Amino acid sequence: MKRELPKGYEPSEVEDRLYAWWESSGFFHAEPGDDGEPFAVVLPPPNVTGNLHIGHALVVSVEDAMVRHARMTGHNAVWLPGTDHAGIATQTVVERRLAEEGLTRHDLGREAFIERVWEHVGEYGGTILRQERKLGASLDWDREIFTLDETRSEAVKAAFRRWYADDLIYRGLRLINWCPRCLTALSDIEVDHQEVDGELAYLRYPLMGSDDPESGVTVATTRAETMLGDTAVAVHPDDERYAHLIGRSLRLPLMDREIPVIADAHVDAEFGTGAVKVTPAHDPNDYEIGQRHDLAMIDIITNEAAISEAGGAYAGLDRVEARRKVTADLDAQGLLAGVESHRHSVGVCSRCKTVIEPRLSEQWFVAVRRLADAAAAAVREGRTGFVPERNAKGFLDWLDNLHDWCISRQLWWGHQIPAWYDRDGNLHVPSDDPSPEETERLGLTQDPDVLDTWFSSQLWPLTTLGWTGEDGADVTPELRTWYPTAVLETGYDINTFWVSRMLMAGLYFAGEVPFRTVYNHGMVRDGQGKKMSKSFGNTIDPLDFIEKYGADALRFALLRAATPGQDAPLAEEWVEGARRFANKLWNAARFVLMVADETVATQGLPPEGLLELEDRWILSRLDATRATVDDAMTTWDLGRVARAVYHFVWDEYCDWYLELAKQRDDEAVGAVLVHVLDVALRLLHPLMPFVTEEIWRALHQASDDETLMRASWPAPDVARRDQAAESQFAALQEAVTELRRFRAEHRLSPAERLTVTADADAASRAVLEPALPGIRQLAGVGEWSFSTSATDEGPQGKVSMKGAELFIPLTGLVDLDEERARIERELATAHAERERAERKLANTGFVQKAPEALVQSEREKLVEWQTAIARLSGQREELAS
RNA sequence: GGGCUCGUAGCUCAGUGGGAGAGCGCUCGCCUCACACGCGAGAGGUCACAGGUUCAAAACCUGUCGGGCCCACCA
């Protein structure tokens, strides 16, 4: 081999060069007509003006590994990139910048403001795409899109119109979540719940016409100011304490309004006083009670969460001031029965953490029932599966209880709702945007609201493949080929926001699920398993780590810790460890390139007859590792893949095989070294693309159109599995370790040769003989002899040296009788269990009455025991020979 | 209140019916001609607790205790 590698692996020298070459060579690009079974993944679109954080790094690492693996296994694989306009988030940032100039968006006006946001996008947008490249993401950049580009905007409008036409979108006055800071409505899931220490105030509402404060009822509330909008008091129908009051009227203090006492089963008689003030315009429960009892709904709160004109004397006060003043005023009138501290949860805007205000508002909604039922059915029928499976349950529960989705936002940055009002106030949702003439003629004005960001992202699997609103999934070659996509990979926290909606939209518009599998990764946590957050100061910047340790190291550290659905801790030491692994691999390759003849890379493995014990062992281990990786990849358990390859490369290939290879100069060793390295590189490539590619290119003296990322995945090579070689090699390893320990305990210098006399019976000797050259080499044994005098003494090898002696408990040398007995015992169990399963399945009563799951489980057990019998029988034969 | 999840070596985690493991940290010894980003040897665990199933349990079942997460309309 001509090509020499530098002494240490330097990621910074390699990564950018390789990435540029991959990208410019079109290795990331796929066409619908390409060979192979289709395999598509959409990258969850990051905020267009965002920066890469550690969570993205995990997403990219996992998805890139999936896609690279798919490519190597012969799929027509495509990974689709893009960015999201992130309506409320982006608008908030730009508004904040305006505020620094002392301006609000209203000072600019809608058009100029949107102009500003586009400028902001121009300035900061795309950063994250460059950062994704730093990680090695093999995204098909030719297919990059943006949720607000023209084609996607067409698709959004088309989707809106079709749902409107099908009565799945409606406009109505409903109780919604209002953020008084963002000044917009929010959907239910954009509201977080926070525990706060508040006060529970007990208010007295006297009977109408009575001066006695205690004549009526006492109600409890954490939001006293809302009493200004009360239109009833509710009690439980069976609550005897209040039976006599049902139907009577109370005087609402401060407002001097007459309100009825009503009975509603929703009221919990056990809580508080058992009587509830009802504010239909400002509480979800009260809203429902209000609807049931046809109560008046008085909106007493303004957009900014102050008291409105409807609040009488309190108008203009902030809701918190109003709360204080209301309780104080009631107290002054003897109508405050008490105040106690009370811990409860309040809804806050998930974006700005301002306490949201439930209020009545005219908004657009998606009627979710039909859509949600279809999505739930698809999951229940297994058309879309979850990894881990258990996540399906929560998802289904959520779908089953879903409320209508408020999709209008009082923002400017986003897709403006394609609905117009004429001069008489009539609503129009035309199938095309109205022409200027039409607009003029009817005096049309477009609805000023924009759509929830997730309305456009729900179309992502469709729009990334070119869909613009048509019916069906066959309208573009891309959709025909790649829809449904293979797997949707995301954090479990996004299942409700995004996954559910894609499922609903995909089923509706394309008639089929948008992805076969939902794979949920966990959250990245710090090295102590704590949540990363800015306030803890334990956040990690992935770019720092890439610069310090390389992208492969960061990826590998993340993936090694990643078990599907489990949170993954990450600490700098882990990344450092992964960097060391990359370097280890690099240096193993340097060794291989040094000793291997330059022709061996193309020659394949030598005939069986030329292989030594260690050759047969490492080839057997290699295929075992390959099998583990293949198995783990069926559920994309990348943590298992990482651990298996790491162990193989470091502990088996480097620590044992390479050490033994050093003393050999036959042709076989070079060929095996190269072959094993080549397969290991391919197994590892999806996880560590850069270092593996760089080594592979040197190993194969590859030209510029040959790339590991398009090389074939290692095929099963079960013929190389060699149980005999593995147990003989295990004997070697244990003997060597024992001798090294002896050396360490006796403080012998490495240079000193050991003289060994080993006691061994015939069976032990048979196992040991083939391993002897290796043992002598690795343990530094000069003379080795077997003592024949003690062959009957016992099962253990016994080694003496210069008067000291030790015993070597060698695998394969242990008590053969006991081993035999163990196998026989297990075989007996296996046979018995197999027969039991067979009987059970043959029993018609069992089959007829047993639930399908039970029958299935019995069948599986049968297969398991049959496998066990095969395995044990194999072991028995081996032992016999 | 409901659901999910975790409790294994000092730390972070794999393991899910027959052997208790990894990385980091720790101790001792090595610049051995791929690698000191390294090599070798070692210490360290009643696998949360209590019952049960099994010839056999860290693993399966039941319960208890303790962490975490999600959902929910207790004013």
Side-chain angles (χ1 to χ4, degrees), chain A residues 152-166 168-169 366 418 451 455-456 458-459 462-463 467-470 505 508-509:
Chain A
R152 263 40 69 176
S153 300
E154 281 310 311
V156 165
K157 280 193 273 188
F160 183 95
R161 286 164 179 152
R162 286 186 53 192
W163 274 359
Y164 181 79
D166 200 8
L168 289 168
I169 284 180
V366 170
L451 290 163
F455 192 90
S456 54
Q458 71 176 339
L459 304 171
L462 294 161
T463 52
W467 182 82
T468 50
E470 303 84 347
Y508 185 88
F509 293 113

Side-chain angles (χ1 to χ4, degrees), chain A residues 373-385 396 507 512-513:
Chain A
D373 287 346
V379 173
R380 290 202 170 92
E381 288 160 15
R383 283 187 280 150
T384 287
L396 285 170
L507 283 165
E512 184 47 285
V513 294

Side-chain angles (χ1 to χ4, degrees), chain A residues 533-551:
Chain A
S533 86
K534 284 183 187 134
S535 53
F536 289 159
N538 63 349
T539 52
I540 283 172
D541 182 352
L543 297 167
D544 285 351
F545 280 179
I546 291 175
E547 196 170 322
K548 256 174 111 171
Y549 304 110

Side-chain angles (χ1 to χ4, degrees), chain A residues 115-130:
Chain A
E115 196 58 36
R116 277 293 285 263
V117 184
W118 277 109
E119 274 172 35
H120 176 79
V121 168
E123 196 174 338
Y124 295 95
T127 304
I128 196 155
L129 302 177
R130 288 190 293 279

Side-chain angles (χ1 to χ4, degrees), chain A residues 272-288:
Chain A
T273 62
V276 188
K277 59 190 277 305
V278 183
T279 323
H282 295 289
D283 181 278
N285 296 315
D286 294 4
Y287 176 74
E288 285 182 18

Side-chain angles (χ1 to χ4, degrees), chain A residues 592-845:
Chain A
V592 172
L593 290 174
M594 216 174 64
V595 304
D597 183 84
E598 56 186 84
T599 55
V600 294
T602 51
Q603 276 178 347
L605 287 172
E608 191 71 28
L610 293 179
L611 297 180
E612 302 289 341
L613 168 63
E614 61 268 22
D615 298 329
R616 287 182 284 117
W617 169 75
I618 197 69
L619 290 169
S620 181
R621 295 306 309 147
L622 178 67
D623 192 64
T625 305
R626 185 235 92 227
T628 302
V629 170
D630 279 343
D631 183 58
M633 281 309 291
T634 61
T635 54
W636 295 296
D637 187 346
L638 296 160
R640 231 177 111 210
V641 172
R643 290 185 293 268
V645 182
Y646 180 98
H647 170 70
F648 174 78
V649 167
W650 201 314
D651 303 337
E652 300 187 313
Y653 186 58
C654 289
D655 285 351
W656 292 95
Y657 188 74
L658 253 54
E659 291 306 319
L660 286 166
K662 281 178 181 172
Q663 300 302 310
R664 292 170 57 184
D665 61 354
D666 55 299
E667 278 180 32
V669 73
V672 174
L673 278 169
V674 170
H675 173 79
V676 174
L677 179 59
D678 174 73
V679 171
L681 289 171
R682 286 188 278 157
L683 292 175
L684 195 53
H685 180 259
L687 281 61
M688 298 184 117
F690 291 113
V691 68
T692 51
E693 175 81 275
E694 185 70 358
I695 294 170
W696 190 84
R697 294 182 58 68
L699 192 65
H700 291 278
Q701 297 186 290
S703 65
D704 275 353
D705 52 5
E706 292 173 285
T707 170
L708 175 55
M709 62 171 287
R710 293 273 180 184
S712 66
W713 187 252
D717 194 7
V718 286
R720 293 288 176 192
R721 300 294 268 282
D722 188 336
Q723 205 53 52
E726 293 214 16
S727 46
Q728 281 176 342
F729 201 84
L732 180 154
Q733 288 175 307
E734 287 178 40
V736 168
T737 301
E738 203 58 45
L739 288 163
R740 282 171 174 167
R741 182 185 302 142
F742 181 84
R743 204 182 261 289
E745 275 169 10
H746 294 264
R747 307 276 158 152
L748 299 173
S749 100
E752 189 152 4
R753 304 284 86 184
L754 298 176
T755 302
V756 174
T757 311
D759 273 359
D761 60 20
S764 300
R765 193 166 164 164
V767 176
L768 216 43
E769 289 277 9
L772 261 186
I775 295 173
R776 298 182 59 171
Q777 182 194 329
L778 294 180
V781 173
E783 288 175 37
W784 178 295
S785 53
F786 281 107
S787 94
T788 48
S789 61
T791 46
D792 297 331
E793 265 190 12
Q796 295 195 324
K798 178 179 162 196
V799 177
S800 62
M801 181 267 156
K802 286 185 174 172
E805 64 176 29
L806 74 158
F807 291 91
I808 312 179
L810 298 167
T811 298
L813 302 180
V814 291
D815 193 329
L816 288 179
D817 291 332
E818 198 175 285
E819 186 67 4
R820 217 168 268 133
R822 182 189 64 83
I823 290 176
E824 293 304 333
R825 252 194 342 263
E826 287 183 29
L827 257 178
T829 315
H831 278 295
E833 288 292 329
R834 187 197 60 184
E835 276 166 34
R836 192 197 52 79
E838 275 173 351
R839 266 201 313 278
K840 220 164 178 181
L841 281 169
N843 180 326
T844 49

Side-chain angles (χ1 to χ4, degrees), chain A residues 9 92 185 188 238 268 363 367 453 500 519 542 628 661 690 726 731 750 848 864 868:
Chain A
Y9 174 59
T92 307
D188 293 346
D238 302 334
D268 178 2
Q363 300 286 345
T453 293
S500 66
Y519 173 104
T628 302
F690 291 113
E726 293 214 16
Q848 277 164 10
E864 247 174 61

